Amino acid sequence: MIAATGLLLVTFVLVPLWAILKNSFVTPDGIGLDNFVRYFTDSRFVTIVGNTFEVGISVTLTTMVLAYGFAYAIQRTCMPLRNVLRIVALLPIFSPSLVQALGLQFLLGRNGLVNRTFGTEIDIYGFWGIYIADVVYAFPHAFLILSTALAVADARLYESAESLGAGAWRIFRTVTLPGTRYGLASAGFVVFTIVITDFGNPVVIGGNYSVLAVEIYNQVSGQANFAMGAVIGVLLLLPAALAMIGEKWISRRHFASVTAQSVPLAPQPNRARDTAWLIYSLLVAAVILSLVAIVIYASFVRLWPYNLSFSLRHYEFDVQNGLQPLWTSIQVAILTAVISMIFVTGAAYANHAFPMRASRVLYFLAILPAAVPGMVLGLGYILAFNTPGQPIYWMYDTILIIAFCNVYHYHAQGFLLATTNIKQISSTFDEASATLGATKLKTVWRVTLPIIWPTVLAVGVFFFMRAMVTLSAVIFLISPSTQLAAVSVLYLDDRGALNQAAAFAVCIMATVVAFLVLAQIALRVAGIRGVSLVR
């Protein structure tokens, strides 16, 4: 099992990364550093690198502050509407990243609702457009991590601080923040990686403000300049890898603030505090909801912004390929979910059940994709597999290669989710089964799998959601016969068909939500309760 899952990880992660690294050093004169020298002496390219880090750092800091406050309000206060606000915070996860930029166009664009209503001339295209869109896009990812970090705490620490005369601000600085520093590090790593590799928002609303993710798309798809694409791929890979290393360094120094003797912290009602945090949370939720709501609204008007009468014409999808990209996306998402349930869960079980030196290598390979940007992995698939004679060339230009790219793009998250659940199973089950004469395989089938089945299903649902909305990882792998719905939103927006782009985006969001509801119903029918797939 270790060898099989390891071979898949080597094939679909290490081989593409090696192809990126190798091609970045290939020049017309042979192997060398000429590509890096040529591009780093280009002032325009240096500016693009600076833009990428300017957006990445500023968005990460802003998102961390906003998400920490929102998570604190949800977990550490008794304010009303917490469940509703939690769902609103997660809305951007259910849609492609460019939906936030599309919503900003409808609200603050040149023909946006605000400019036309108030006669203003707000120019949202450029840095500020990318900044706002990426903050909203990255917000739920940071919120989920920080909400988990703030969900549990030892009440004794807070009682001791209060008895020593510490005020609310000092308790927050000396108790709350240190207790959640691992969550902060993890959230910072995730947000920074998401932002510097995000392609959808910058390409829609970036204007002349270019970043590396857009530049790699322009160079590869527009000019077939694979050497430049490989160089940018290496540049995108380095900061993501460094962020991952930093997060792991902090996690090794993290101490457990909750022990067996801990007393769970239960927030007590405080009218002034709860009201203040409710106002803050409502403001944040209003921004997120407004971007999603305006896209839904625009999909039902005849012609934005000139004729706002109700119409369903945009849901007729009288465009090239019609509704086929949505059906293709659903097929890819289902295939991705099935593959992930088998191979991702299998990798987690193999790593846990067979402790040996090889399992350490497997663990490293399993979490390595967390540091690999989606566009880099997708470009690596082109360079590694689009050559006749390659063992898996037969799956190129099919939905299967797109599904495998999705699986290994998000492999680390699914692997860690499955591993966490499998580790909670006591070894006494295996011992009892072995005592009764059952083989290892029979034990897995009759004992282990029924116990972890909710997690297996949750892994499948997670990969289905990500496969429906992902854009950067698959933008290089699609063809006219395998075009996806998220890519159709991009193409429609690019040609000015904003209403139809909004309709496609609404269909994607509706599909994801419907699948979540059906999966939850399936769990209830099977008699498995207490599992929240949304959380």
Side-chain angles (χ1 to χ4, degrees):
M1 289 185 69
I2 291 175
T5 53
L7 179 61
L8 288 170
L9 284 162
V10 168
T11 302
F12 291 104
V13 179
L14 284 189
V15 171
L17 291 183
W18 170 248
I20 288 279
L21 185 62
K22 181 180 67 175
N23 278 271
S24 69
F25 292 101
V26 175
T27 68
D29 300 324
I31 304 297
L33 297 173
D34 291 353
N35 291 333
F36 290 90
V37 173
R38 182 164 67 254
Y39 297 129
F40 273 102
T41 54
D42 184 346
S43 59
R44 176 180 173 277
F45 184 74
V46 173
T47 300
I48 292 174
V49 174
N51 291 347
T52 302
F53 281 92
E54 181 181 31
V55 170
I57 294 172
S58 59
V59 170
T60 299
L61 293 176
T62 303
T63 305
M64 294 289 287
V65 172
L66 293 176
Y68 196 96
F70 199 90
Y72 185 90
I74 296 292
Q75 298 292 353
R76 297 293 178 90
T77 73
C78 296
M79 69 177 189
L81 302 176
R82 282 179 294 171
N83 289 332
V84 174
L85 291 169
R86 182 185 287 111
I87 293 174
V88 172
L90 298 179
L91 285 178
I93 290 181
F94 302 150
S95 62
S97 64
L98 53 81
V99 167
Q100 287 72 48
L102 193 62
L104 279 178
Q105 280 187 311
F106 287 127
L107 279 177
L108 302 174
R110 297 183 182 92
N111 286 316
L113 186 64
V114 173
N115 282 339
R116 292 185 65 86
T117 302
F118 300 102
T120 55
E121 296 183 359
I122 298 174
D123 185 8
I124 198 62
Y125 299 93
F127 169 80
W128 289 109
I130 299 174
Y131 171 82
I132 297 172
D134 275 344
V135 167
V136 175
Y137 175 54
F139 181 87
H141 300 274
F143 165 71
L144 284 172
I145 297 172
L146 295 172
S147 181
T148 301
L150 287 162
V152 293
D154 190 349
R156 297 175 303 169
L157 297 175
Y158 290 85
E159 294 171 358
S160 300
E162 290 175 358
S163 66
L164 292 172
W169 173 241
R170 187 171 184 182
I171 291 175
F172 177 78
R173 288 188 296 109
T174 58
V175 180
T176 305
L177 272 181
T180 56
R181 61 181 180 180
Y182 176 60
L184 284 166
S186 298
F189 155 65
V190 169
V191 171
F192 182 74
T193 303
I194 286 175
V195 171
I196 66 170
T197 60
D198 177 39
F199 164 72
N201 286 321
V203 77
V204 169
I205 207 165
N208 294 325
Y209 190 92
S210 187
V211 294
L212 286 174
V214 176
E215 185 65 13
I216 191 175
Y217 174 73
N218 291 336
Q219 292 293 332
V220 174
S221 295
Q223 304 178 34
N225 189 346
F226 290 96
M228 176 65 162
V231 170
I232 299 176
V234 172
L235 291 179
L236 286 174
L237 185 62
L238 286 176
L242 290 175
M244 181 182 178
I245 293 171
E247 185 264 342
K248 294 302 178 185
W249 182 82
I250 293 175
S251 67
R252 284 199 299 267
R253 287 157 176 76
H254 179 68
F255 60 90
S257 57
V258 178
T259 63
Q261 292 77 33
S262 296
V263 178
L265 177 65
Q268 300 300 316
N270 183 309
R271 186 172 182 179
R273 180 204 64 194
D274 294 347
T275 301
W277 281 113
L278 177 62
I279 294 172
Y280 167 82
S281 300
L282 287 174
L283 289 174
V284 173
V287 173
I288 296 173
L289 195 59
S290 64
L291 294 183
V292 176
I294 194 68
V295 172
I296 297 174
Y297 171 69
S299 72
F300 290 104
V301 302
R302 183 164 293 275
L303 181 62
W304 182 274
Y306 308 106
N307 186 346
L308 301 182
S309 59
F310 177 81
S311 174
L312 293 174
R313 59 181 294 190
H314 307 298
Y315 286 91
E316 296 174 359
F317 299 107
D318 53 346
V319 295
Q320 185 179 8
N321 295 329
L323 201 58
Q324 185 57 43
L326 180 63
W327 300 127
T328 303
S329 289
I330 294 174
Q331 293 174 32
V332 169
I334 293 174
L335 188 57
T336 300
V338 172
I339 293 173
S340 68
M341 291 169 69
I342 297 172
F343 293 121
V344 177
T345 308
Y349 179 77
N351 180 73
H352 170 74
F354 309 110
M356 58 183 70
R357 185 172 299 177
S359 62
R360 299 178 186 175
V361 178
L362 176 63
Y363 182 85
F364 170 77
L365 292 175
I367 65 171
L368 178 62
V372 182
M375 293 194 78
V376 176
L377 190 62
L379 179 59
Y381 276 39
I382 294 179
L383 299 176
F385 304 140
N386 188 21
T387 304
Q390 290 286 347
I392 61 173
Y393 177 72
W394 60 272
M395 70 168 61
Y396 198 80
D397 196 23
T398 67
I399 63 172
L400 187 58
I401 193 71
I402 298 175
F404 269 102
C405 186
N406 285 328
V407 168
Y408 288 98
H409 179 207
Y410 298 105
H411 189 278
Q413 295 93 319
F415 174 82
L416 292 174
L417 171 63
T419 299
T420 300
N421 188 269
I422 290 173
K423 284 185 175 181
Q424 295 175 352
I425 301 175
S426 174
S427 60
T428 55
F429 289 104
D430 285 348
E431 294 169 0
S433 181
T435 301
L436 294 172
T439 63
K440 192 73 172 178
L441 182 60
K442 193 170 185 178
T443 301
V444 170
W445 182 255
R446 301 286 296 273
V447 179
T448 306
L449 189 58
I451 294 175
I452 67 170
W453 174 243
T455 296
V456 174
L457 183 59
V459 167
V461 171
F462 167 77
F463 277 93
F464 180 93
M465 289 173 53
R466 300 318 301 164
M468 282 296 302
V469 303
T470 190
L471 181 64
S472 61
V474 300
I475 191 64
F476 295 135
L477 298 176
I478 60 148
S479 66
S481 62
T482 59
Q483 185 170 320
L484 304 178
V487 180
S488 292
V489 177
L490 172 64
Y491 288 166
L492 289 168
D493 175 83
D494 189 51
R495 75 183 199 188
L498 297 182
N499 297 95
Q500 291 172 324
F504 252 109
V506 171
C507 288
I508 294 172
M509 290 186 283
T511 301
V512 172
V513 172
F515 189 82
L516 275 172
V517 172
L518 290 175
Q520 196 72 54
I521 292 174
L523 280 176
R524 292 181 180 274
V525 171
I528 304 172
R529 301 183 181 274
V531 178
S532 174
L533 296 176
V534 174
R535 297 181 187 178

